[in-house]
Amino acid sequence: MAKDKPRRRRSKPAKVVRADKPTPESVEKILRTVRWPGTERDIVSLGIIREISLQGCTIHVALGARDPSPEASQAVAEEVRSRLKAEYEKFAVDIEHVAPPPPPHPQQAPPQGSPSPHSHAQAIPGVRHIVAVGSGKGGVGKSTVAVNLALALKKLGRRVGVMDADVYGPSIPLLMGASERPKVTARNRIVPLEVHGVQLMSMGFLVDEDAPVIWRGPMVMKLIQQFLVGVEWREADFLVVDLPPGTGDTQLTLVQSTRLSGAVVVTTPQDLALLDAARAAQMFNKVDVPVLGIVENMSVFVCPRCGEESHIFGQGGGHREAERLGIPFLGEIPLNPAIREGSDTGRPTVAVEPESPETKIFLKIAERVAKETEAASEPTRVTF
Ligand code: ADP
């Protein structure tokens, strides 16, 4: 793209003599012309620049990419150096490779020296935090929670994407009322849809609807690769991933393939669902993904006529289970026919009922999720 081209041709950098002093803005502008290898993204929007400073006659740039390959890091460092030198010939350029922001729960990091279960997990270019929504079994409202959590994060001012990774029952487009299919760019990359102000991509757009469900698990690795490299996500603070229900190999593959900031486990109050939720929490723990908390869905039925509350499936189970597992309890969402009707007609609660008690609960949950995950990332330090 023309706007991403360096302002000067690199073949003649030696002839360029500039007396101007670099400023944080001018350095950042130049860094925006450097792409991360294999992606369309520049290193500033990817959040890789951890620090820009001017120390005497030296421009210092600290790069902190997640899971960088040595080749990619070196190529980027060389590119940064040559572009800065072309613009500011009289200044030295010092490039430092620093650690990316720490994971949200350092206490859950594996002991030093042990291989990280995330070592082959990939970040998604342009996406700051990936949060998975999982459940021990189907039908507990996992997709409903994923959609409304995403919309609540959007309401809190974040840029949000939703990735429907439920290969067995990709229902998010339906829940969000998306009827079109995504477009494909000339470079063969899929452009996520934009629905209710959030980006949306679904496995349902990629899997053959006629493919038997039993074939879909083994296809996951291929599909995930397509999601990681073949989808043109616009910049997002959060990507909410709706996982397939359960704790089998398919779920584990998905969890391990992407670098997750955390996971939310959805359950209903029945004993069996709670048992499954515990299993889901253990799955995330096993692969070192911080469990941000449990959401209990369909916890209480509020009679639409008289307002009386009935705990159809028992009371306080989610709370107790979260306490027993030592993970936060994020909130209870009532069983409300309006939620189901909204889902069936592509009108998710948080988008269409901004003042409802359920929306307020989703906003509280989103606040907790944002706080927990964002605590880990620090902004770029600029010292000039
Ligand atoms: P899962 O993703 O766990 O399979 P879904 O989100 O698809 O579950 O929800 C299953 C069904 O329950 C859907 O018809 C949905 O509209 C409905 N549902 C989910 N949460 C609620 C709720 N709190 N109140 C009423 N219906 C709900």
Side-chain angles (χ1 to χ4, degrees), residues 138-144 297-298 333-336 339-340 343-344:
V140 297
K142 172 183 54 57
S143 304
T144 305
N297 188 29
M298 311 195 210
I333 297 147
L335 175 70
N336 182 341
I339 293 187
R340 193 195 50 72
S343 296
D344 289 353

Side-chain angles (χ1 to χ4, degrees), residues 4 31-46 48 124-127 189 192 199 231-236:
D4 286 339
L31 297 180
R32 278 196 187 272
T33 66
V34 178
R35 296 213 176 114
W36 188 259
T39 74
E40 308 271 354
R41 304 283 180 166
D42 70 85
I43 55 176
V44 175
S45 66
L46 281 173
I48 285 168
I124 297 182
V127 175
R189 288 164 62 83
Q199 301 179 62
V231 178
E232 197 133 314
W233 294 102
R234 291 175 292 284
E235 272 177 58

Side-chain angles (χ1 to χ4, degrees), residues 334-361:
L335 175 70
N336 182 341
I339 293 187
R340 193 195 50 72
E341 282 153 25
S343 296
D344 289 353
T345 52
R347 294 161 49 79
T349 308
V350 171
V352 299
E353 304 268 5
E355 298 304 324
S356 72
E358 287 78 14
T359 295
K360 288 184 181 142
I361 297 168

